[in-house]
Amino acid sequence: TADGAVGRAVAAVLPRRTAETKPSWTPDGGAVVARYEGGLVVARTSRPGRPTRLELRRAGDNLDEPSVAEGRQGTVLAFVSHDPEFGDRVCFSKLSGRTASRPSCRRLAGWRLGELTWVPNGRRLLAAARRLDGADWRFGLLRLRTSTPFSTRAGDWRGGRSLQTPSQPRRGVAAAAVDPSGRRLAVVTSHATGRFQVAITAVDDLALKDADVLPLQGCDVDWRPDGKELAVVQSDNQCNRPPGRIVRVAPASPRELHTVVLRGRDPAWQPIELGPISPARAPAPGTQ
């Protein structure tokens, strides 16, 4: 973790080096779910170095890409179970503190899955993906849909068979993030120029027909909780040499970069309220 404005007070949350995957904050902002030694753990930032393993072994022994969301009936975890032979599975579980319910999984045959991104209404899930076939260089985003918001039953989810974003050999979408309002989508794409840049479009415009490609090199992206800034990882134009510099930038001023961390990857903003507190959420008189 690091100060989201200036990068000070960098602290390790897990005791040893983790795999190259993005952690996901719990809704209360007090812990992250992360990949660790082939499984997933919950690590509280107030107790660094003491993670709790989630009992998800029914889903497999190579779990990855946790993505936590606050559903109508509690906290929901989506994650990936890797299978290099037949294709990865996307799995779902309910989180309660440091325990997880029995996972439910669905295979997306032929695909190697990356980062999962919830759309705030809980009815769609985006998955970065590339073909298992090494000769097929296509990559981009798959989209899964459900009529039951934040469902943890894998059978409730449909889609995920083909890429929804533009792709051609060695060009496509590498990462995505949906803003907290659920209206805007930020993507890292090389489709337009062959170089990976950040683009902003409507959340339903996965074809990127109306995307605004910013003059901003990027390899990964995440929205700040108030939707006013992005965290962007900057490495080389082809993103072959991660980690890189993590900067924060307002989409309206893409040339004004503010360095947060000189060397990092997979940024995830802590889900805390920024700015004035609304009257409905203000503490009662005499409390803190």
Side-chain angles (χ1 to χ4, degrees):
T1 58
D3 185 296
V6 293
R8 288 193 298 264
V10 175
V13 177
L14 298 179
R16 291 187 292 276
R17 185 178 183 273
T18 63
E20 298 170 349
T21 185
K22 180 176 289 190
S24 183
W25 288 90
T26 55
D28 65 2
V32 294
V33 180
R35 173 178 165 89
Y36 189 67
E37 297 179 343
L40 299 182
V41 298
V42 175
R44 297 209 61 87
T45 56
S46 61
R47 303 176 66 191
R50 302 177 65 181
T52 300
R53 181 173 292 271
L54 294 172
E55 292 298 327
L56 297 166
R57 285 173 290 185
R58 290 178 180 272
D61 57 6
N62 188 4
L63 309 183
D64 205 353
E65 306 294 349
S67 185
V68 179
E70 183 67 8
R72 295 177 180 176
Q73 298 181 348
T75 303
V76 176
L77 170 67
F79 62 96
V80 169
S81 176
H82 289 306
D83 183 336
E85 183 176 359
F86 299 108
D88 292 348
R89 294 186 294 166
V90 59
C91 302
F92 302 88
S93 176
K94 290 183 179 179
L95 280 184
S96 179
R98 291 176 289 178
T99 62
S101 67
R102 180 173 178 171
S104 177
C105 300
R106 178 193 162 194
R107 188 180 306 281
L108 300 185
W111 293 103
R112 171 78 176 188
L113 301 181
E115 181 182 334
L116 303 178
T117 303
W118 287 95
V119 174
N121 65 11
R123 296 178 183 271
R124 283 165 290 172
L125 186 72
L126 304 178
R130 58 180 174 84
R131 279 291 186 184
L132 281 179
D133 180 2
D136 189 338
W137 290 93
R138 291 179 300 157
F139 62 95
L141 300 179
L142 304 175
R143 179 175 58 197
L144 289 89
R145 297 175 179 266
T146 181
S147 59
T148 305
F150 302 103
S151 175
T152 56
R153 290 185 66 254
D156 289 343
W157 293 86
R158 299 288 183 266
R161 298 182 182 276
S162 59
L163 295 177
Q164 301 298 300
T165 47
S167 65
Q168 48 187 301
R170 300 180 187 274
R171 292 192 183 190
V173 172
V178 180
D179 85 334
S181 73
R183 293 190 294 267
R184 291 179 296 172
L185 179 71
V187 298
V188 170
T189 177
S190 60
H191 175 68
T193 64
R195 299 178 291 110
F196 281 104
Q197 294 174 268
V198 177
I200 307 293
T201 191
V203 72
D204 291 324
D205 182 26
L206 294 183
L208 305 184
K209 293 181 179 179
D210 299 313
D212 179 15
V213 180
L214 305 180
L216 176 64
Q217 192 275 336
C219 298
D220 198 3
V221 63
D222 195 47
W223 287 96
R224 203 170 72 179
D226 61 0
K228 293 182 178 180
E229 286 191 334
L230 298 166
V232 177
V233 179
Q234 294 193 313
S235 181
D236 62 291
N237 285 335
Q238 298 303 316
C239 297
N240 291 323
R241 296 193 298 273
R245 181 176 65 145
I246 298 179
V247 301
R248 58 183 179 87
V249 55
S253 304
R255 300 186 188 277
E256 297 179 15
L257 309 182
H258 305 275
T259 299
V260 178
V261 178
L262 287 174
R263 187 171 175 80
R265 60 181 300 155
D266 302 309
W269 288 96
Q270 186 182 26
I272 58 176
E273 185 167 347
L274 301 172
I277 298 176
S278 64
R281 296 186 60 183
T287 66
Q288 282 187 311

